[in-house]
Each structure stands twice: as C-alpha cells, then as structure tokens.
Amino acid sequence: SQQGEEDPQALSIQEGENATMNCSYKTSINNLQWYRQNSGRGLVHLILIRSNEREKHSGRLRVTLDTSKKSSSLLITASRAADTASYFCATDGPSGSRLTFGEGTQLTVNP
Amino acid sequence: EAGVAQSPRYKIIEKRQSVAFWCNPISGHATLYWYQQILGQGPKLLIQFQNNGVVDDSQLPKDRFSAERLKGVDSTLKIQPAKLEDSAVYLCASTPDYHEQYFGPGTRLTVT
C-alpha cells in the first residue's frame, strides 16, 4: 500500500489564490519530497525536507513537516494557471531505500 | 544537461504479447528506477538499480516482468506476456544521490 496519502484529492482555485495540499504517512521517514506532474509528463522534483526540519521555502513554495503527526503540507502562494498539475508527496526511509509516493492531489488553477 | 530519455512514448499491444521499454538516464547517475503509474495513482516502484546491480525488485512481478541495466547505463524493462492490468505509464528515473529523482517523460502502454 502507498505510504503517503494526499488530501484533498482534487483542488480548484482562482489564479492569485493560495493552494494548500496535505500529505500523511504511516512509518518513520528519513526525508519527504514533493513532486509535480503535468498531464502526460514525467514528475518534476519541487522540494525535499529532512526529518529534522520543520519548514522549508523555495520561491512560492512552502513546505512544513510535523513528524509527531506524520504529516506534511505544501503551500503554493499566489498561484498561476501554469501551476495546474498533480502534486505528489514521496517518503523514504534509510538512505537508499525505496521512495514511496502518495496518490496525489490534482490542482486546477483557473485564470 | 540532457534529461532522462525514454522510448517509445506510446505503445499499444494485445494481451499476451510482449513489449520492451528503453531508458537512458542522465549521464553519471548511478541509480536508476523503473516505476509503474496506473491512471489516477502515484508511481509505484518496480525495480531499482545501483550501477548494473539490482538493489530492490521486491515489487516487480517477476513471472512476467524483467529488467536489466547492462554496463550500468541504459536500461530495458520487458513485459512478457502482457495482461490488461499492465496498462499504465512506465516511468524511468535516475539520481546521483538517492534524494532528488529526475524522471523521464514515460511510456504510455495500452494493453487491449
């Protein structure tokens, strides 16, 4: 079964609004990553947060990690139509162990 | 820097036929992964190579799926014979350091 579970499954917002996606996982992790997938394309790495970090920023992205709740959130600020894509969280254990992806959140940003 | 290359991009076969996918990772990336992504789901790891050795193939259906990575560079994934439930996108990814993975565009397989 998948380690990560994203919530919501689908999210539709207007351009300029913020989008928040959540990810929950079951077992201890080493790192948590977020990826984006545009329709018909491969996945693109967005950001990695280590288990000893609580928050990380990259441009318009903000990721938080709460290891006590086994959850993470991805915030995209000032969304654009080009942000329309599926977003996946992925977790790994000890270095070299498999990366396990969640089911993804489909984000639609309406112009 | 060139990205991960995959071919073909699309393939349609009948059940019980065989099919092969090819992947060329980013130069210098020792670790290569094959994932299966069924429509509406996240990618599921099939096999992980470190150079030309298998690190993890625990989720590979070995009765019908096989993969190799000769010389630690290119890799092929084969399905023989294919079943209807194998319809999916097959993604190849590589990484230099077990962290950020770089994905190819995928091969969309349809089994009829």
Side-chain angles (χ1 to χ4, degrees), chain A residues 33 35 92 94-101, chain B residues 4 6 23-25 29-36 43-51 55-56 67 69 73 75 77 90-104:
Chain A
Q33 303 181 43
Y35 287 79
D92 64 4
S95 179
S97 68
R98 85 170 67 111
L99 199 62
T100 303
F101 286 84
Chain B
V4 176
Q6 289 188 248
C23 172
N24 180 236
H29 284 193
T31 307
L32 182 148
Y33 308 84
W34 283 102
Y35 291 89
Q36 179 192 59
K44 183 185 84 171
L45 180 70
L46 293 175
I47 189 167
Q48 175 185 345
F49 290 96
Q50 174 74 14
N51 296 308
V55 174
D56 184 350
R69 191 182 183 198
V73 182
S75 178
L77 176 70
Y90 291 84
L91 295 163
C92 179
S94 68
T95 182
D97 60 7
Y98 290 123
H99 291 154
E100 176 179 352
Q101 293 188 17
Y102 296 80
F103 282 80

Side-chain angles (χ1 to χ4, degrees), chain A residues 15-94:
Chain A
E15 212 165 21
E17 294 180 337
N18 295 341
T20 299
M21 288 159 272
N22 302 297
C23 168
S24 60
Y25 57 92
K26 296 184 176 67
T27 61
S28 296
I29 62 170
N30 196 33
N31 302 297
L32 186 144
Q33 303 181 43
W34 286 91
Y35 287 79
R36 183 188 75 230
Q37 185 178 35
N38 290 85
S39 180
R41 312 287 282 275
L43 283 77
V44 174
H45 181 264
L46 295 176
I47 197 165
L48 178 152
I49 187 166
R50 301 182 191 282
S51 59
N52 62 354
E53 297 176 311
R54 292 297 167 258
E55 187 171 313
K56 203 162 183 179
H57 297 253
S58 177
R60 295 184 295 114
L61 305 180
R62 173 178 169 253
V63 170
T64 62
L65 178 63
D66 187 335
T67 53
S68 67
K69 295 181 179 178
K70 291 187 169 59
S71 66
S72 174
S73 67
L74 171 67
L75 168 67
I76 304 175
T77 60
S79 64
R80 306 165 181 168
D83 295 329
T84 294
S86 292
Y87 291 81
F88 295 91
C89 68
T91 56
D92 64 4

